[in-house]
Structure formats: C-alpha cells, structure tokens
Amino acid sequence: RLVGNLYAELHLFDGLMFKTSFGVDYNNLYRRSFSPKYDELNASEKLSSLSNRNAWNFNWVFTNTLTYNKTFGDHTINALLGMESLRNRYEYFTASRDGFPSDDPNFRFLDAGDVGTQKNSGAATEYSMVSYFGKLDYNYHDRYLVAFTLRRDGSSRLGNNKWGNFPSISGAWVISSEPFFGENMFSHLKLRAGWGKIGNQSIPSNAYSTMLRNNAYYNFGGSLAMPGYSIAKAGNPDVTWETTTDYNIGLDFGMLNNKLTGSIDVYNRKV
C-alpha cells in the first residue's frame, strides 16, 4: 500500500492564505489459495484446486482553499472558500482451475490444472466528485457568534441529478458574557441554534444505468437458439442525492468555575 500527500501554502497578505494539497492512496492485493485433495474417514476431496485473485484500488484527492482571518476591534471574521475533486477506481480479476496432477508445489500453477474446469471473472467500479464550498464565521466580542456554510457537490454516481446544494446556518449567544449577567451559580451559559442540510451519495456507481448480461438465448424459426442479451438490472436515471435536514437548539452551561459542565439539546432530523 502507498499513501502520500503533498501540500503548499502561500501567505498572500495579512490574514489571507492560499493552500493546495494533493493526496493519493494506492492499494494492491494479490491472493493465491491452493486446496489439496484428501481422503479421510468422514470427508474427501478428489480434486485439488487453485484460485488466484488480484485487486487494486487507487484514489486521489485534490483540494484548494483560500482562508481569511481578521480581527477589527471587537469583530472577528473567519472566511473560507474552497474547491475539492476526488476520484476512486477499484478493479479486480480472479482465475481458478481444478484437477491438478500433483499437490507438489511445482504443480501449483494454473496451467497445470484441468483446462476444462477453468473459471475467471473480473469487474471494475469508478466514481468521482467535485465540490465547491464556502464558510463565513462572525464573532462579536466572544458574545454573539454566527456561522454560515454553503456546499455545492457533484457526483458521477448520480444520473440526471448530479449536483446538490447544501447550506447551513448557526448562531450562538454567550449569555454569561453580557454585563447584566453578574455573579451567580453559572460560570458559563450559552444558547445556540442551527439549521442545515447534508447530502449522501453512497450508492453503487452504476445505480443509474441499466445493465445487460450476455447469457440469454432466443428462438428464431422455431428451433434455432441465438445468443443475445437480457436485462440484469434496471437503472434509475433520476436517482438523486439523499438529503437530510437538521434543526437543533441547545444550551451549554458551566458551574463552579466550569468544574461542572453540561449541555441540553433538542433536535429534529428529516430525511
């Protein structure tokens, strides 16, 4: 397995920074399994068998972000703009044979098996995504906090509805920072609320496609069987993002100089 990441940062001016990164993950698997023939009291296997499997998975992620952090008196702004693309490909093949003339290691190769028993299979899956996102955080005097996020994601796993928009917004009021709060049993008290949408595209890469198989035969002329194709899986070209919407309101508190802390949350989730 090979995993690596390369990144660079560029400070454009005070508070503004550009960062780019590229990461890869490559995994290669080879498996060889030989089962010898045996003859025991309650079980036997007359033919030895060999199975080979090779699989590899390669994915990469390319990310670019622009961040801006600045404080103006009692006002603090944190902003983020970014773009990310990724691609993943998985491929495998298997081959096997039975009926080896000997269990000697020198015969444990596919060519030594009975050609009439050979089997093989292979397939590949691939998907890619592109995302554009932005986030803005505002903080006034560590008392009033607001955050807004927007994502636009595109997935190759979806047919006619590749793109989805997922906004969110949240706010908080640190009541214990108000001048009127004074001395009491609470050392920290914060009221917060939020609303947002998230998307899920974790479905098979070919879910929107209709798949065919070539193991069908059709009669022509009454007795002539001709090879052909039949539908193996009916696709849905209108498959779309699974969207989850969350609403929440919560209260964070601290007592005895924050030696005792806790949170109370109420939320509603719709899929």
Side-chain angles (χ1 to χ4, degrees):
R1 185 173 185 177
L2 175 65
V3 179
N5 184 69
L6 181 68
Y7 75 93
E9 295 180 348
L10 177 62
H11 294 265
L12 301 174
F13 56 82
D14 184 29
L16 185 65
M17 184 181 72
F18 173 74
K19 180 177 180 179
T20 182
S21 66
F22 184 77
V24 298
D25 187 352
Y26 175 76
N27 192 12
N28 196 332
L29 169 68
Y30 175 72
R31 185 175 65 191
R32 192 166 180 267
S33 176
F34 183 81
S35 299
K37 55 181 176 289
Y38 58 89
D39 189 3
E40 298 180 358
L41 181 61
N42 296 320
S44 65
E45 179 58 64
K46 302 301 182 182
L47 299 176
S48 52
S49 63
L50 173 65
S51 174
N52 288 352
R53 178 184 176 91
N54 185 265
W56 62 271
N57 179 248
F58 178 69
N59 67 79
W60 56 261
V61 180
F62 183 43
T63 307
N64 296 281
T65 57
L66 192 65
T67 58
Y68 180 69
N69 302 311
K70 194 68 175 179
T71 299
F72 307 91
D74 292 333
H75 308 271
T76 299
I77 295 176
N78 299 317
L80 169 71
L81 286 175
M83 173 266 185
E84 184 175 83
S85 59
L86 63 87
R87 187 175 184 180
N88 182 288
R89 180 175 176 84
Y90 172 78
E91 185 173 344
Y92 81 94
F93 73 87
T94 63
S96 66
R97 282 190 183 183
D98 301 332
F100 289 80
S102 172
D103 291 341
D104 186 277
N106 291 323
F107 287 87
R108 296 181 182 183
F109 298 94
L110 289 174
D111 277 356
D114 182 1
V115 67
T117 65
Q118 70 179 12
K119 299 176 184 177
N120 60 77
S121 64
T125 61
E126 186 176 43
Y127 70 90
S128 57
M129 275 192 64
V130 177
S131 300
Y132 303 94
F133 50 89
K135 184 180 181 182
L136 179 63
D137 294 334
Y138 172 73
N139 181 336
Y140 175 71
H141 209 272
D142 289 330
R143 189 182 304 168
Y144 310 113
L145 303 95
V146 178
F148 176 74
T149 302
L150 178 63
R151 292 184 61 95
R152 179 167 171 80
D153 298 321
S155 172
S156 66
R157 286 174 165 170
L158 307 175
N160 299 328
N161 303 289
K162 288 182 170 56
W163 293 94
N165 299 315
F166 308 103
S168 67
I169 187 170
S170 62
W173 176 27
V174 185
I175 305 173
S176 55
S177 294
E178 294 287 356
F180 63 76
F181 192 72
E183 295 289 337
N184 56 58
M185 61 184 296
F186 293 100
S187 50
H188 174 72
L189 193 64
K190 180 170 73 174
L191 180 67
R192 50 185 168 76
W195 167 89
K197 293 183 176 182
I198 57 174
N200 177 26
Q201 51 89 47
S202 298
I203 60 175
S205 298
N206 57 5
Y208 65 90
S209 302
T210 296
M211 308 296 292
L212 303 178
R213 56 177 171 233
N214 63 348
N215 62 347
Y217 290 87
Y218 299 90
N219 290 328
F220 289 92
S223 60
L224 183 61
M226 299 295 293
Y229 289 83
S230 63
I231 295 178
K233 179 186 72 67
N236 179 9
D238 294 322
V239 65
T240 187
W241 288 87
E242 179 187 71
T243 302
T244 301
T245 304
D246 277 313
Y247 307 82
N248 82 285
I249 184 170
L251 182 70
D252 300 329
F253 62 88
M255 305 172 66
L256 304 175
N257 290 324
N258 291 333
K259 293 179 181 178
L260 175 64
T261 60
S263 297
I264 301 173
D265 282 276
V266 178
Y267 69 91
N268 182 25
R269 175 170 295 175
K270 295 181 179 180
V271 180

